[in-house]
Amino acid sequence: MKFFLALIFISFSFCSTAQSLPDSLYPPDTLSIRYHSAWTKTHYPKKIKEFKNDPLAMGDIVFLGNSITEQGGDWGKRLGWSRVKNRGISGDVTEGVLKRLGEIMYAKPKAIFLLIGINDLFNTATTPQYVAGNILAIAKNIRKASPDTKLYVQTILPTSTASIKRKIQQTNALLRKKAGRKTFTLLHTHALFADEADVMKKEYTNDGLHLNEEGYTIWADYLKKQLPHIAN
């Protein structure tokens, strides 16, 4: 009986250890990210703590991005895919994603779906070159650390804010130039939601930036049709 109990204890200890990752893989609470809003400076560390408590496992599928990703909720349920983790943080920017790649690179996901950059572009101090450069840096870091991970970069979605339309167009154009070079596959999500004026279609949003449930359904259907093999 003592031997049996010892085996249970060892097994429990191993499982508990396997479910946690080193703190060094996550950004510290004191980290300051350029272009984070005052609200995001509080929300970002809260989400990092959540991620620590529910870490990635080897071979997961990861949705990585800002509020548009975070508010998608359970992406696995939306897509009918198993082992999907949401790594969206509302208000996050490209630098914020760069600083939290440790967990993601360590876990070597089966696939990553990245959508980031719109919060950077709303800041007048940033340029399309800066945003695209950071997205490419994210892609290169992931590819170097986990060459077998399928990385899908999604084009930045339109908004109803006409003043940043050109910046979105330029950033997406820069990403298109770099796609197909063994670093990432580009998914043209922008086109799903853009009207004839290249701003967000009203039927897919409640505020001109974030998607409503109909918008998420359109997005999920697109991914399922484009990438049916990911579900296996």
Side-chain angles (χ1 to χ4, degrees):
M1 175 63 100
K2 290 182 179 179
F3 177 74
F4 179 72
L5 291 173
L7 283 177
I8 293 176
F9 177 78
I10 292 170
S11 176
F12 177 80
S13 299
F14 175 79
C15 291
S16 297
T17 302
Q19 291 175 352
S20 61
L21 297 179
D23 281 351
S24 59
L25 295 176
Y26 300 89
D29 291 344
T30 56
L31 180 66
S32 179
I33 302 294
R34 183 172 46 170
Y35 304 132
H36 268 179
S37 67
W39 180 85
T40 308
K41 289 180 185 295
T42 300
H43 184 65
Y44 185 90
K46 286 181 180 178
K47 291 299 295 184
I48 296 299
K49 185 176 181 180
E50 288 181 18
F51 299 160
K52 286 183 181 181
N53 292 331
D54 184 23
L56 298 178
M58 299 291 180
D60 279 347
I61 296 171
V62 178
F63 277 72
L64 179 61
N66 50 39
S67 59
I68 300 173
T69 296
E70 181 181 345
Q71 292 176 17
D74 187 343
W75 283 96
K77 183 177 180 180
R78 288 187 180 280
L79 295 160
W81 298 349
S82 61
R83 297 186 59 183
V84 179
K85 291 286 182 65
N86 189 328
R87 286 298 186 260
I89 298 182
S90 295
D92 205 7
V93 293
T94 52
E95 184 181 339
V97 171
L98 276 167
K99 296 296 186 182
R100 58 185 176 98
L101 288 179
E103 176 200 31
I104 292 163
M105 294 189 296
Y106 180 89
K108 303 189 185 320
K110 176 182 179 180
I112 297 172
F113 292 83
L114 173 66
L115 177 63
I116 195 69
I118 191 63
N119 293 320
D120 299 76
L121 294 176
F122 271 115
N123 193 304
T124 57
T126 65
T127 66
Q129 290 75 19
Y130 166 83
V131 177
N134 276 354
I135 293 172
L136 295 174
I138 293 167
K140 289 177 181 177
N141 288 346
I142 292 171
R143 179 60 61 232
K144 183 178 180 180
S146 185
D148 294 329
T149 295
K150 298 180 185 300
L151 175 59
Y152 300 96
V153 175
Q154 301 170 98
T155 50
I156 298 172
L157 307 190
T159 76
S160 63
T161 306
S163 60
I164 66 163
K165 180 173 73 172
R166 182 60 177 159
K167 291 175 75 173
I168 295 172
Q169 292 170 339
Q170 290 174 338
T171 305
N172 286 338
L174 290 169
L175 295 176
R176 284 194 294 272
K177 288 181 180 180
K178 297 295 183 179
R181 296 191 179 186
K182 299 182 179 180
T183 304
F184 63 88
T185 298
L186 192 68
L187 297 178
H188 300 282
T189 42
H190 177 95
L192 297 174
F193 305 105
D195 66 12
E196 63 280 359
D198 204 24
V199 296
M200 177 68 80
K201 291 181 179 178
K202 294 180 180 179
E203 61 265 34
Y204 296 143
T205 183
N206 294 321
D207 62 5
L209 171 62
H210 299 96
L211 298 177
N212 57 24
E213 191 57 33
E214 185 176 357
Y216 281 112
T217 299
I218 293 293
W219 190 357
D221 287 346
Y222 168 79
L223 293 179
K224 286 187 286 188
K225 290 176 183 176
Q226 291 290 312
L227 305 162
H229 61 283
I230 293 292
N232 298 326

